[in-house]
């Protein structure tokens, strides 16, 4: 029990006579050799990804998750719309000093209601 082969998914012992599946150095029970997302049991020849923590993901679910992550990472934040009054305030401040100090930018931010980063840019 202590030193025998254990399933990488459920951590239960595997008797020497039982049929198993292998992925790199990991050994799995047949029923544990399944995708963690869709729970579909993986068969011989199925393409899958082995995660760092020895969990398995079928190719379809991996590709779907990858596309979703790429779409979220490329999403841009909405453009900031600056009103005429805010623009006039910013122009006056930057005409007086092309590189205003931090406290001036903070004051502009509070006056205009714009984010500090918008005032700086």
């Amino acid at each position: 029990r202590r030193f025998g082969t254990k399933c990488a998914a459920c951590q239960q012992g595997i008797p020497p006579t039982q049929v198993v599946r292998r992925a790199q150095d990991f050994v799995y029970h047949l029923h544990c050799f399944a995708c963690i997302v869709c729970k579909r049991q993986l068969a011989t020849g199925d393409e899958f990804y082995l995660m760092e923590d020895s969990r398995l993901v079928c190719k379809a679910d991996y590709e779907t998750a990858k596309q979703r992550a790429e779409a979220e990472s490329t999403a841009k934040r909405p453009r900031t719309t600056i009103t005429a009054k805010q623009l006039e305030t910013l122009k006056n401040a930057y005409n007086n000093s092309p590189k205003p100090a931090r406290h001036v930018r903070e004051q502009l931010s509070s006056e205009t209601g714009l984010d500090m980063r918008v005032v700086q840019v």
Side-chain angles (χ1 to χ4, degrees):
R1 284 184 187 168
R2 185 180 276 178
F3 301 108
T5 304
K6 292 186 178 151
C7 175
C10 68
Q11 300 301 313
Q12 297 296 316
I14 300 176
T17 57
Q18 190 171 17
V19 178
V20 296
R21 297 263 187 213
R22 292 184 182 273
Q24 290 183 355
D25 295 335
F26 299 107
V27 181
Y28 299 85
H29 292 112
L30 284 180
H31 61 274
C32 293
F33 198 73
C35 174
I36 59 168
V37 178
C38 65
K39 308 294 186 226
R40 184 175 64 86
Q41 190 170 357
L42 300 169
T44 304
D46 285 348
E47 293 183 21
F48 62 90
Y49 290 85
L50 180 63
M51 309 306 276
E52 295 87 24
D53 55 359
S54 75
R55 297 184 306 166
L56 304 167
V57 179
C58 66
K59 184 176 181 179
D61 288 331
Y62 182 84
E63 296 294 333
T64 303
K66 186 177 173 184
Q67 288 174 353
R68 189 177 307 125
E70 286 175 359
E72 289 174 2
S73 68
T74 59
K76 295 181 180 178
R77 67 173 187 79
R79 281 188 170 264
T80 303
T81 306
I82 300 175
T83 65
K85 183 179 178 188
Q86 291 170 330
L87 184 60
E88 188 63 33
T89 305
L90 291 171
K91 279 185 177 181
N92 288 336
Y94 278 89
N95 283 336
N96 293 337
S97 172
K99 292 186 176 182
R102 181 177 177 85
H103 71 279
V104 175
R105 292 194 315 267
E106 287 173 349
Q107 184 180 1
L108 282 170
S109 177
S110 64
E111 285 177 16
T112 60
L114 296 170
D115 188 53
M116 275 284 294
R117 181 74 180 144
V118 173
V119 171
Q120 185 174 351
V121 171

